[in-house]
Amino acid sequence: MFDKLMSGIRRFTGQKAGEGPPPARVVRQRQPNLFEAAAAYVSACAEDDQRGIEEASGWVSPEALSFGVNELACSAVIALARERDESPRSVARSLLGLPVA
């Protein structure tokens, strides 16, 4: 009876007699990319969320995070400059509270 049951299971799973169970499937969680890390990091900084800052900092290397934050800053300044019909330089200086040069 047991042999017949095992034979049916092997037929169903494609496993041959004498083989062990099929290897477990490894499910990998998708790792956020540097732009997702930068967006999460900057958002957490803006909200003074230390836990979010630390979490996003661990997603990518410090160099990659720095690059992502730089790209985000450039995109944000360009978008605001277009929206305000001003130069990116004047918008960046305004955001930082610097006098317009």
Side-chain angles (χ1 to χ4, degrees):
M1 174 83 170
F2 179 76
D3 289 337
K4 189 173 183 179
L5 176 64
M6 289 305 295
S7 175
I9 291 173
R10 281 200 261 328
R11 218 178 12 256
F12 178 74
T13 63
Q15 185 179 5
K16 295 179 183 160
E19 289 183 350
R25 287 183 34 195
V26 176
V27 178
R28 294 187 184 193
Q29 196 173 27
R30 190 181 77 74
Q31 187 70 17
N33 68 34
L34 68 100
F35 297 113
E36 291 169 323
Y41 179 83
V42 170
S43 299
C45 287
E47 296 169 351
D48 198 25
D49 174 10
Q50 190 60 41
R51 183 178 293 175
I53 291 169
E54 291 170 6
E55 182 181 348
S57 295
W59 291 349
V60 294
S61 72
E63 295 82 10
L65 183 60
S66 177
F67 176 79
V69 168
N70 182 63
E71 290 297 308
L72 177 58
C74 289
S75 296
V77 167
I78 290 168
L80 281 172
R82 287 179 180 155
E83 185 177 294
R84 296 179 181 180
D85 197 28
E86 297 178 21
S87 73
R89 176 180 294 235
S90 65
V91 169
R93 293 184 66 84
S94 171
L95 289 171
L96 293 171
L98 300 172
V100 177

